[in-house]
């Protein structure tokens, strides 16, 4: 519970919260801020979804009237994107790079709207792509005593494998969880 509250506080501090379509399909998340009195700080939700596969039945679509929600897709004029638009989802037309959404260009597009911070919450594949493209300024890794699923939750990093370009900025214990923070070296 303590870690969950910290994550909701982190969400409230950012302009955008981003996940990949894999996370959206697997978890059907809300990606909102659920702290009493801070719900209005729920960030713009962006789902990186090359083929606009976000289900119209997802919680993200169902709650889009109350929280700005967009899909970043390489197929902005296709039938799936049109259906998402009709359901109140913004559609961000993205360039494609190596069969995926071109992330640097997506971030430039988001910055042009005035967004200054992106909280990339999941999943492992999208996080790895951001790391590979050197688009990460800060890392926050939470480690629990409880293993979720058979092998835990997939992560591209552990505290032992953080790239050298990041410096440790502290660790905190929240109940049985440890949160490690790192920042890009200047």
């Amino acid at each position: 519970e303590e870690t969950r509250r910290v994550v909701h506080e982190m969400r409230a501090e950012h302009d955008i919260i981003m996940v990949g379509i894999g996370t959206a399909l697997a978890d059907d998340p809300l990606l909102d801020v659920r702290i009493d009195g801070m719900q209005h700080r729920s960030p713009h939700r962006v789902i990186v979804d090359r083929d606009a596969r976000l289900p119209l039945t997802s919680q993200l679509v169902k709650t889009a009237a109350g929280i700005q929600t967009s899909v970043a897709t390489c197929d902005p004029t296709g039938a799936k994107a049109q259906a998402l638009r009709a359901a109140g989802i913004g559609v961000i037309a993205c360039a494609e790079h190596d069969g995926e959404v071109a992330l640097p260009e997506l971030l430039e597009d988001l910055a042009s709207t005035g967004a200054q911070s992106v909280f990339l919450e999941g999943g492992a594949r999208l996080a790895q792509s951001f790391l590979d493209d050197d688009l990460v300024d800060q890392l926050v890794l939470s480690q629990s005593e409880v293993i979720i699923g058979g092998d835990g939750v997939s992560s591209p990093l552990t505290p032992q494998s953080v790239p050298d370009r990041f410096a440790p900025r502290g660790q905190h214990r929240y109940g049985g969880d440890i949160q490690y923070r790192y920042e890009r070296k200047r």
Side-chain angles (χ1 to χ4, degrees):
E1 284 303 315
E2 292 173 65
T3 301
R4 184 172 291 124
R5 180 172 174 86
V6 170
V7 169
H8 284 267
E9 289 170 356
M10 291 168 58
R11 288 177 179 179
E13 295 170 353
H14 290 83
D15 298 319
I16 293 172
I17 185 169
M18 186 179 291
V19 296
I21 186 60
T23 295
L25 293 173
D27 297 344
D28 194 20
L30 280 169
L31 303 178
D32 60 352
V33 174
R34 282 171 263 160
I35 299 173
D36 287 341
M38 294 184 67
Q39 293 88 342
H40 67 284
R41 287 290 305 138
S42 290
H44 176 179
R45 304 176 298 188
V46 175
I47 300 86
V48 179
D49 184 5
R50 185 176 102 61
D51 298 315
R53 297 183 296 147
L54 184 66
L56 297 175
T57 57
S58 70
Q59 292 190 88
L60 292 164
V61 174
K62 289 178 183 177
T63 59
I67 304 171
Q68 184 179 7
T69 306
S70 299
V71 169
T73 181
C74 299
D75 186 19
T77 59
K80 292 176 184 175
Q82 296 299 337
L84 288 168
R85 256 192 204 97
I89 301 293
V91 175
I92 303 168
C94 295
E96 189 173 321
H97 178 72
D98 291 337
E100 300 294 336
V101 168
L103 297 175
E105 291 82 356
L106 171 59
L107 292 179
E108 287 175 10
D109 291 345
L110 294 171
S112 73
T113 69
Q116 296 182 16
S117 60
V118 174
F119 181 43
L120 177 60
E121 191 165 308
R125 186 170 162 215
L126 185 60
Q128 186 64 59
S129 295
F130 267 78
L131 287 165
D132 290 347
D133 287 350
D134 199 22
L135 301 172
V136 178
D137 292 325
Q138 297 178 357
L139 294 170
V140 178
L141 303 175
S142 295
Q143 195 169 34
S144 177
E145 297 172 338
V146 177
I147 296 178
I148 301 170
D151 296 323
V153 175
S154 179
S155 173
L157 294 176
T158 66
Q160 297 75 30
S161 66
V162 171
D164 290 338
R165 66 183 181 266
F166 294 96
R169 290 295 179 243
Q171 68 183 47
H172 305 278
R173 183 168 284 281
Y174 301 104
D177 300 341
I178 300 175
Q179 187 181 81
Y180 302 90
R181 291 185 179 243
Y182 301 86
E183 191 171 284
R184 177 192 295 274
K185 294 177 183 175
R186 303 283 175 206

